[in-house]
Short mmCIF file of all heavy atoms in Angstrom, two decimals:
data_model
loop_
_atom_site.label_atom_id
_atom_site.label_comp_id
_atom_site.label_asym_id
_atom_site.label_seq_id
_atom_site.Cartn_x
_atom_site.Cartn_y
_atom_site.Cartn_z
N ASP A 33 16.02 156.44 153.50
CA ASP A 33 14.85 155.93 154.02
C ASP A 33 14.22 154.95 153.08
O ASP A 33 14.74 154.56 152.08
CB ASP A 33 13.86 157.17 154.20
CG ASP A 33 13.49 157.84 152.82
OD1 ASP A 33 13.73 157.25 151.85
OD2 ASP A 33 12.94 158.99 152.96
N PRO A 34 13.12 154.37 153.48
CA PRO A 34 12.41 153.24 152.59
C PRO A 34 12.22 153.62 151.21
O PRO A 34 12.13 152.75 150.21
CB PRO A 34 11.13 153.04 153.41
CG PRO A 34 11.35 153.32 154.83
CD PRO A 34 12.28 154.57 154.66
N VAL A 35 12.20 154.99 150.98
CA VAL A 35 11.99 155.28 149.47
C VAL A 35 13.21 155.43 148.62
O VAL A 35 13.31 155.64 147.47
CB VAL A 35 11.19 156.69 149.52
CG1 VAL A 35 11.06 157.20 148.07
CG2 VAL A 35 9.93 156.65 150.26
N GLY A 36 14.47 155.31 149.43
CA GLY A 36 15.72 155.34 148.70
C GLY A 36 16.46 156.60 148.77
O GLY A 36 17.41 156.83 147.92
N VAL A 37 15.97 157.62 149.45
CA VAL A 37 16.57 158.95 149.47
C VAL A 37 17.13 159.18 150.87
O VAL A 37 16.71 158.61 151.89
CB VAL A 37 15.61 160.11 149.06
CG1 VAL A 37 15.18 159.86 147.66
CG2 VAL A 37 14.38 160.24 150.04
N ALA A 38 18.00 160.08 150.95
CA ALA A 38 18.61 160.30 152.27
C ALA A 38 17.60 160.81 153.31
O ALA A 38 16.76 161.75 153.04
CB ALA A 38 19.74 161.57 152.13
N TRP A 39 17.52 160.26 154.43
CA TRP A 39 16.61 160.65 155.55
C TRP A 39 16.98 162.07 155.87
O TRP A 39 18.16 162.41 156.06
CB TRP A 39 16.73 159.66 156.69
CG TRP A 39 15.93 159.96 157.82
CD1 TRP A 39 14.51 159.85 157.98
CD2 TRP A 39 16.38 160.35 159.04
NE1 TRP A 39 14.14 160.33 159.19
CE2 TRP A 39 15.32 160.59 159.93
CE3 TRP A 39 17.65 160.69 159.72
CZ2 TRP A 39 15.33 161.03 161.21
CZ3 TRP A 39 17.78 161.09 160.93
CH2 TRP A 39 16.59 161.26 161.66
N HIS A 40 16.02 162.81 156.19
CA HIS A 40 16.16 164.29 156.47
C HIS A 40 17.20 164.58 157.65
O HIS A 40 17.89 165.59 157.47
CB HIS A 40 14.93 165.05 156.68
CG HIS A 40 14.21 164.64 157.99
ND1 HIS A 40 13.48 163.43 158.08
CD2 HIS A 40 14.15 165.18 159.15
CE1 HIS A 40 12.95 163.38 159.34
NE2 HIS A 40 13.46 164.35 160.00
N GLY A 41 17.15 163.78 158.65
CA GLY A 41 18.09 164.07 159.80
C GLY A 41 19.55 163.92 159.37
O GLY A 41 20.50 164.49 160.02
N ASN A 42 19.90 163.12 158.32
CA ASN A 42 21.25 162.82 158.02
C ASN A 42 21.95 164.12 157.44
O ASN A 42 23.17 164.21 157.35
CB ASN A 42 21.40 161.71 157.05
CG ASN A 42 21.24 160.33 157.81
OD1 ASN A 42 21.67 160.19 158.92
ND2 ASN A 42 20.41 159.45 157.08
N TYR A 43 21.22 164.98 156.89
CA TYR A 43 21.73 166.16 156.32
C TYR A 43 22.65 166.96 157.38
O TYR A 43 23.68 167.50 156.95
CB TYR A 43 20.62 167.05 155.68
CG TYR A 43 20.01 166.56 154.55
CD1 TYR A 43 19.13 165.53 154.55
CD2 TYR A 43 20.22 167.23 153.26
CE1 TYR A 43 18.43 165.03 153.45
CE2 TYR A 43 19.66 166.72 152.08
CZ TYR A 43 18.84 165.46 152.21
OH TYR A 43 18.19 165.16 151.15
N PHE A 44 22.26 166.99 158.50
CA PHE A 44 23.03 167.62 159.62
C PHE A 44 24.48 166.86 159.71
O PHE A 44 25.48 167.65 160.14
CB PHE A 44 22.27 167.70 160.92
CG PHE A 44 21.12 168.68 160.81
CD1 PHE A 44 19.83 168.19 160.64
CD2 PHE A 44 21.36 170.13 160.72
CE1 PHE A 44 18.75 169.11 160.60
CE2 PHE A 44 20.30 170.96 160.66
CZ PHE A 44 19.04 170.49 160.48
N ARG A 45 24.45 165.54 159.53
CA ARG A 45 25.77 164.85 159.57
C ARG A 45 26.63 165.37 158.46
O ARG A 45 27.82 165.60 158.56
CB ARG A 45 25.60 163.45 159.58
CG ARG A 45 25.07 162.82 160.85
CD ARG A 45 24.98 161.36 160.99
NE ARG A 45 25.84 160.60 159.96
CZ ARG A 45 25.32 159.95 158.97
NH1 ARG A 45 24.06 159.79 158.72
NH2 ARG A 45 26.21 159.23 158.14
N TYR A 46 26.05 165.57 157.29
CA TYR A 46 26.71 166.09 156.12
C TYR A 46 27.26 167.59 156.30
O TYR A 46 28.53 167.88 156.07
CB TYR A 46 25.93 166.08 154.86
CG TYR A 46 25.32 164.80 154.56
CD1 TYR A 46 23.95 164.71 153.87
CD2 TYR A 46 25.82 163.49 154.95
CE1 TYR A 46 23.44 163.46 153.62
CE2 TYR A 46 25.19 162.32 154.56
CZ TYR A 46 23.99 162.30 154.02
OH TYR A 46 23.34 161.15 153.79
N PHE A 47 26.29 168.37 156.96
CA PHE A 47 26.81 169.68 157.38
C PHE A 47 28.06 169.59 158.32
O PHE A 47 29.04 170.49 158.22
CB PHE A 47 25.72 170.45 158.08
CG PHE A 47 24.64 170.92 157.17
CD1 PHE A 47 23.40 171.37 157.76
CD2 PHE A 47 24.53 170.64 155.81
CE1 PHE A 47 22.21 171.76 157.00
CE2 PHE A 47 23.61 171.01 155.04
CZ PHE A 47 22.37 171.68 155.58
N ASP A 48 27.94 168.64 159.22
CA ASP A 48 28.97 168.57 160.26
C ASP A 48 30.31 168.27 159.69
O ASP A 48 31.41 168.79 160.12
CB ASP A 48 28.76 167.51 161.27
CG ASP A 48 29.59 167.59 162.47
OD1 ASP A 48 29.77 168.51 163.12
OD2 ASP A 48 30.20 166.49 162.65
N GLN A 49 30.42 167.38 158.80
CA GLN A 49 31.60 167.21 158.04
C GLN A 49 32.28 168.28 157.38
O GLN A 49 33.48 168.58 157.42
CB GLN A 49 31.46 165.94 156.98
CG GLN A 49 31.21 164.70 157.75
CD GLN A 49 31.00 163.45 156.86
OE1 GLN A 49 31.89 163.30 155.97
NE2 GLN A 49 29.96 162.70 156.87
N ALA A 50 31.39 169.16 156.71
CA ALA A 50 31.83 170.39 156.10
C ALA A 50 32.41 171.41 157.16
O ALA A 50 33.37 172.14 156.97
CB ALA A 50 30.90 171.01 155.16
N ARG A 51 31.65 171.40 158.34
CA ARG A 51 31.93 172.49 159.38
C ARG A 51 33.29 171.94 159.98
O ARG A 51 34.08 172.71 160.34
CB ARG A 51 30.86 172.35 160.47
CG ARG A 51 31.09 173.23 161.61
CD ARG A 51 29.90 173.40 162.60
NE ARG A 51 29.43 172.14 163.14
CZ ARG A 51 28.35 171.51 162.78
NH1 ARG A 51 27.55 172.20 162.02
NH2 ARG A 51 27.95 170.45 163.33
N CYS A 52 33.63 170.75 160.21
CA CYS A 52 34.90 170.23 160.65
C CYS A 52 35.93 170.75 159.81
O CYS A 52 37.02 171.09 160.16
CB CYS A 52 34.80 168.75 160.85
SG CYS A 52 33.85 168.26 162.27
N ALA A 53 35.75 170.50 158.38
CA ALA A 53 36.82 170.98 157.45
C ALA A 53 37.07 172.48 157.56
O ALA A 53 38.18 172.90 157.48
CB ALA A 53 36.40 170.50 156.07
N LEU A 54 35.94 173.18 157.85
CA LEU A 54 36.15 174.72 157.93
C LEU A 54 36.84 174.96 159.20
O LEU A 54 37.92 175.84 159.15
CB LEU A 54 34.75 175.27 157.91
CG LEU A 54 34.68 176.76 158.10
CD1 LEU A 54 34.71 177.51 156.71
CD2 LEU A 54 33.31 177.24 158.75
N LEU A 55 36.53 174.35 160.36
CA LEU A 55 37.16 174.68 161.61
C LEU A 55 38.63 174.33 161.59
O LEU A 55 39.51 174.93 162.12
CB LEU A 55 36.42 174.03 162.73
CG LEU A 55 35.13 174.70 163.01
CD1 LEU A 55 34.34 173.77 163.93
CD2 LEU A 55 35.14 176.14 163.39
N ASP A 56 38.89 173.23 160.79
CA ASP A 56 40.22 172.67 160.65
C ASP A 56 41.14 173.71 159.92
O ASP A 56 42.34 173.79 160.25
CB ASP A 56 40.35 171.31 160.02
CG ASP A 56 39.92 170.22 160.95
OD1 ASP A 56 39.75 170.38 162.27
OD2 ASP A 56 39.52 169.05 160.42
N MET A 57 40.60 174.47 159.05
CA MET A 57 41.33 175.40 158.30
C MET A 57 41.86 176.44 159.25
O MET A 57 43.04 176.97 158.91
CB MET A 57 40.39 176.05 157.30
CG MET A 57 40.02 175.23 156.12
SD MET A 57 38.88 176.05 154.91
CE MET A 57 40.04 177.34 154.21
N ILE A 58 41.38 176.72 160.38
CA ILE A 58 41.91 177.78 161.21
C ILE A 58 42.39 177.08 162.44
O ILE A 58 42.78 177.71 163.37
CB ILE A 58 40.79 178.76 161.63
CG1 ILE A 58 39.62 178.10 162.48
CG2 ILE A 58 40.30 179.57 160.44
CD1 ILE A 58 38.76 179.04 163.08
N GLY A 59 42.59 175.75 162.44
CA GLY A 59 43.23 175.04 163.50
C GLY A 59 42.45 175.07 164.80
O GLY A 59 42.94 175.15 165.99
N TYR A 60 41.12 175.19 164.62
CA TYR A 60 40.19 175.10 165.89
C TYR A 60 39.07 174.21 165.63
O TYR A 60 37.91 174.43 165.86
CB TYR A 60 39.67 176.64 165.96
CG TYR A 60 39.14 176.85 167.43
CD1 TYR A 60 39.97 176.58 168.51
CD2 TYR A 60 37.98 177.35 167.62
CE1 TYR A 60 39.54 176.87 169.79
CE2 TYR A 60 37.49 177.64 168.90
CZ TYR A 60 38.23 177.38 169.94
OH TYR A 60 37.83 177.67 171.27
N GLY A 61 39.46 172.91 165.30
CA GLY A 61 38.44 171.87 165.30
C GLY A 61 38.06 171.49 166.73
O GLY A 61 38.39 172.14 167.68
N TYR A 62 37.11 170.50 166.66
CA TYR A 62 36.41 170.06 168.10
C TYR A 62 37.45 169.77 169.10
O TYR A 62 37.33 170.27 170.28
CB TYR A 62 35.44 169.04 167.90
CG TYR A 62 34.20 169.41 167.14
CD1 TYR A 62 33.83 168.83 165.97
CD2 TYR A 62 33.68 170.59 167.45
CE1 TYR A 62 32.62 169.28 165.32
CE2 TYR A 62 32.43 171.03 166.83
CZ TYR A 62 31.97 170.37 165.68
OH TYR A 62 30.99 170.85 165.02
N ARG A 63 38.52 169.05 168.86
CA ARG A 63 39.53 168.78 169.82
C ARG A 63 40.22 169.99 170.44
O ARG A 63 40.30 170.24 171.57
CB ARG A 63 40.56 167.73 169.26
CG ARG A 63 41.81 167.36 170.21
CD ARG A 63 41.38 166.81 171.56
NE ARG A 63 40.45 165.70 171.52
CZ ARG A 63 39.65 165.25 172.44
NH1 ARG A 63 39.47 165.99 173.67
NH2 ARG A 63 38.92 164.41 172.39
N ALA A 64 40.53 170.95 169.53
CA ALA A 64 41.12 172.19 169.85
C ALA A 64 40.22 173.05 170.69
O ALA A 64 40.59 173.83 171.68
CB ALA A 64 41.71 173.03 168.68
N MET A 65 38.94 173.02 170.23
CA MET A 65 37.97 173.73 171.14
C MET A 65 38.00 173.27 172.53
O MET A 65 37.88 173.98 173.57
CB MET A 65 36.58 173.52 170.56
CG MET A 65 36.33 174.28 169.20
SD MET A 65 34.67 173.85 168.62
CE MET A 65 34.59 175.18 167.32
N LEU A 66 37.77 171.83 172.68
CA LEU A 66 37.76 171.30 174.12
C LEU A 66 39.00 171.63 174.78
O LEU A 66 39.00 171.99 176.06
CB LEU A 66 37.57 169.83 174.00
CG LEU A 66 36.09 169.40 173.40
CD1 LEU A 66 36.21 167.86 173.22
CD2 LEU A 66 35.18 169.90 174.46
N ASP A 67 40.17 171.46 174.16
CA ASP A 67 41.45 171.78 174.73
C ASP A 67 41.67 173.31 175.16
O ASP A 67 42.31 173.63 176.10
CB ASP A 67 42.61 171.41 173.86
CG ASP A 67 42.75 169.87 173.70
OD1 ASP A 67 42.12 169.08 174.46
OD2 ASP A 67 43.57 169.45 172.62
N SER A 68 40.85 174.23 174.50
CA SER A 68 40.97 175.67 174.81
C SER A 68 40.01 175.89 175.95
O SER A 68 40.00 177.05 176.45
CB SER A 68 40.70 176.37 173.68
OG SER A 68 39.18 176.45 173.18
N GLY A 69 39.26 174.94 176.50
CA GLY A 69 38.31 175.27 177.60
C GLY A 69 36.97 175.65 177.29
O GLY A 69 36.21 176.14 177.98
N TYR A 70 36.50 175.33 175.99
CA TYR A 70 35.19 175.78 175.56
C TYR A 70 34.45 174.70 174.88
O TYR A 70 35.02 173.89 174.14
CB TYR A 70 35.17 176.97 174.60
CG TYR A 70 35.67 178.25 175.25
CD1 TYR A 70 36.98 178.70 175.19
CD2 TYR A 70 34.84 179.00 176.04
CE1 TYR A 70 37.46 179.80 175.80
CE2 TYR A 70 35.26 180.22 176.55
CZ TYR A 70 36.55 180.51 176.43
OH TYR A 70 36.95 181.67 177.10
N TYR A 71 33.25 174.64 175.20
CA TYR A 71 32.24 173.77 174.37
C TYR A 71 31.68 174.60 173.38
O TYR A 71 31.51 175.86 173.76
CB TYR A 71 31.17 173.13 175.24
CG TYR A 71 31.66 172.22 176.40
CD1 TYR A 71 31.28 172.44 177.71
CD2 TYR A 71 32.49 171.11 176.14
CE1 TYR A 71 31.78 171.73 178.66
CE2 TYR A 71 32.84 170.25 177.11
CZ TYR A 71 32.57 170.58 178.36
OH TYR A 71 32.97 169.81 179.39
N TRP A 72 31.24 174.21 172.19
CA TRP A 72 30.51 175.06 171.24
C TRP A 72 29.32 174.35 170.87
O TRP A 72 29.15 173.92 169.61
CB TRP A 72 31.46 175.31 170.08
CG TRP A 72 32.59 176.34 170.31
CD1 TRP A 72 33.81 176.02 171.03
CD2 TRP A 72 32.51 177.66 170.13
NE1 TRP A 72 34.65 177.05 170.99
CE2 TRP A 72 33.82 178.21 170.55
CE3 TRP A 72 31.68 178.38 169.53
CZ2 TRP A 72 34.11 179.50 170.43
CZ3 TRP A 72 32.00 179.84 169.40
CH2 TRP A 72 33.16 180.26 169.75
N PRO A 73 28.31 174.31 171.68
CA PRO A 73 27.08 173.63 171.26
C PRO A 73 26.35 174.40 170.24
O PRO A 73 26.42 175.57 170.04
CB PRO A 73 26.23 173.67 172.61
CG PRO A 73 26.62 174.85 173.37
CD PRO A 73 28.12 174.81 173.07
N ILE A 74 25.64 173.64 169.45
CA ILE A 74 24.68 174.15 168.38
C ILE A 74 23.37 174.66 169.14
O ILE A 74 22.78 173.86 169.85
CB ILE A 74 24.44 173.28 167.24
CG1 ILE A 74 25.77 172.93 166.37
CG2 ILE A 74 23.38 173.66 166.34
CD1 ILE A 74 25.61 171.96 165.31
N VAL A 75 23.10 175.84 168.93
CA VAL A 75 21.80 176.42 169.64
C VAL A 75 20.73 176.52 168.62
O VAL A 75 19.60 176.86 168.99
CB VAL A 75 22.15 177.65 170.47
CG1 VAL A 75 23.16 177.28 171.66
CG2 VAL A 75 22.75 178.80 169.64
N LYS A 76 21.09 176.63 167.37
CA LYS A 76 20.04 176.80 166.43
C LYS A 76 20.59 176.18 165.01
O LYS A 76 21.66 176.30 164.78
CB LYS A 76 19.79 178.36 166.06
CG LYS A 76 18.75 178.65 165.13
CD LYS A 76 18.52 180.02 164.94
CE LYS A 76 17.40 180.31 163.97
NZ LYS A 76 17.31 181.76 163.74
N ALA A 77 19.69 175.40 164.47
CA ALA A 77 19.97 174.81 163.16
C ALA A 77 18.68 174.87 162.30
O ALA A 77 17.56 174.77 162.78
CB ALA A 77 20.27 173.28 163.47
N GLN A 78 18.89 175.10 161.09
CA GLN A 78 17.82 175.06 160.06
C GLN A 78 18.31 174.44 158.71
O GLN A 78 19.61 174.43 158.41
CB GLN A 78 17.40 176.53 159.81
CG GLN A 78 18.38 177.39 159.16
CD GLN A 78 17.80 178.76 159.06
OE1 GLN A 78 17.59 179.50 160.04
NE2 GLN A 78 17.52 179.20 157.91
N VAL A 79 17.49 174.00 157.97
CA VAL A 79 17.74 173.31 156.65
C VAL A 79 16.62 173.60 155.79
O VAL A 79 15.34 173.58 156.10
CB VAL A 79 18.04 171.79 156.87
CG1 VAL A 79 16.84 171.06 157.51
CG2 VAL A 79 18.56 171.22 155.56
N LYS A 80 16.79 173.62 154.53
CA LYS A 80 15.85 173.82 153.44
C LYS A 80 16.14 172.84 152.41
O LYS A 80 17.19 172.78 151.77
CB LYS A 80 15.92 175.15 152.87
CG LYS A 80 14.80 175.30 151.73
CD LYS A 80 14.86 176.69 151.12
CE LYS A 80 13.84 176.74 150.06
NZ LYS A 80 13.77 178.06 149.34
N TYR A 81 15.28 171.76 152.32
CA TYR A 81 15.42 170.71 151.35
C TYR A 81 14.87 171.16 150.01
O TYR A 81 13.67 171.49 149.95
CB TYR A 81 14.69 169.49 151.88
CG TYR A 81 15.08 169.02 153.20
CD1 TYR A 81 14.33 169.45 154.38
CD2 TYR A 81 16.21 168.41 153.39
CE1 TYR A 81 14.82 169.04 155.53
CE2 TYR A 81 16.69 167.91 154.68
CZ TYR A 81 15.96 168.31 155.79
OH TYR A 81 16.35 167.98 157.04
#
Side-chain angles (χ1 to χ4, degrees):
D33 65 14
V35 180
V37 298
W39 177 70
H40 68 277
N42 287 320
Y43 288 73
F44 290 103
R45 288 189 16 252
Y46 309 150
F47 290 171
D48 187 58
Q49 290 184 50
R51 180 174 54 250
C52 287
L54 179 85
L55 294 171
D56 286 345
M57 288 178 68
I58 63 170
Y60 200 52
Y62 289 126
R63 176 57 51 203
M65 286 177 170
L66 291 172
D67 291 346
S68 73
Y70 293 97
Y71 301 122
W72 286 83
I74 291 177
V75 295
K76 183 177 180 183
Q78 67 183 71
V79 63
K80 180 179 180 183
Y81 305 100

